[in-house]
Amino acid sequence: MTPCAKGSPPHGTARVGSPDLVDALAEHLGLRLAPREFSLPDGTRVAVDGADGDPPNVLVQSTRIRGQLKSSHRNKIISNAFKLLWLRDSTFPGAHPLLAVSPEAARLFSADAWLTIALQHTRIAVVVVSPEGNITTPIPLRDQLFTGR
């Protein structure tokens, strides 16, 4: 798999993720994470908000929520998780999928929520990035890469 594009998307293309979330996460992990678009063997093209190396060890999708949390935000986070799961399982089996979200989304990840349990089961990490760039993990992580421990 080779990236089709690195850096910012072409002029006129809206960036879906939030660069400040990915940048704070990159700093926390000590990695260089950049937006990437991959061209898969079947011709499918898929972009992520952040990835390191080639092949990537970390795949990131981010969601910045401004204002009140809505069902559309929850649906975007679920969609991002599904994309990461599919990309990891179909193409990059050694990669660590990670969702970076703003603090407004933290309440989606209570211990008994189906989404929390599903993310734990599929080994998708979630980090909450504060406006100051602090990282917290609302879901207990088994993977030391993301906890820094």
Side-chain angles (χ1 to χ4, degrees):
M1 298 334 91
T2 56
C4 295
K6 289 186 178 180
S8 298
H11 179 67
T13 303
R15 168 112 188 235
V16 175
S18 182
D20 55 331
L21 297 177
V22 176
D23 292 345
L25 182 58
E27 184 176 327
H28 177 77
L29 296 175
L31 297 173
R32 183 180 180 278
L33 298 172
R36 297 273 294 275
E37 185 175 272
F38 300 99
S39 181
L40 307 184
D42 67 358
T44 302
R45 293 169 59 124
V46 61
V48 295
D49 295 330
D52 63 349
D54 190 16
N57 186 44
V58 176
L59 298 166
V60 180
Q61 282 295 107
S62 62
T63 304
R64 160 106 23 234
I65 297 171
R66 291 180 173 84
Q68 185 176 7
L69 181 66
K70 299 178 183 173
S71 62
S72 61
H73 297 123
R74 183 204 53 186
N75 293 344
K76 180 179 184 319
I77 290 168
I78 294 168
S79 173
N80 283 342
F82 187 69
K83 177 198 274 189
L84 292 173
L85 175 65
W86 169 72
L87 192 55
R88 179 197 60 202
D89 289 355
S90 69
T91 309
F92 302 115
H96 300 277
L98 193 139
L99 293 169
V101 299
S102 57
E104 295 82 356
R107 70 184 190 109
L108 292 174
F109 306 107
S110 63
D112 60 346
W114 75 266
L115 180 56
T116 300
I117 295 164
L119 292 171
Q120 286 176 314
H121 181 78
T122 56
R123 300 177 333 276
I124 297 174
V126 176
V127 296
V128 176
V129 182
S130 74
E132 300 78 30
N134 297 318
I135 305 286
T136 58
T137 54
I139 299 174
L141 303 175
R142 290 176 270 181
D143 191 331
Q144 292 184 357
L145 172 69
F146 302 119
T147 61
R149 296 181 189 138

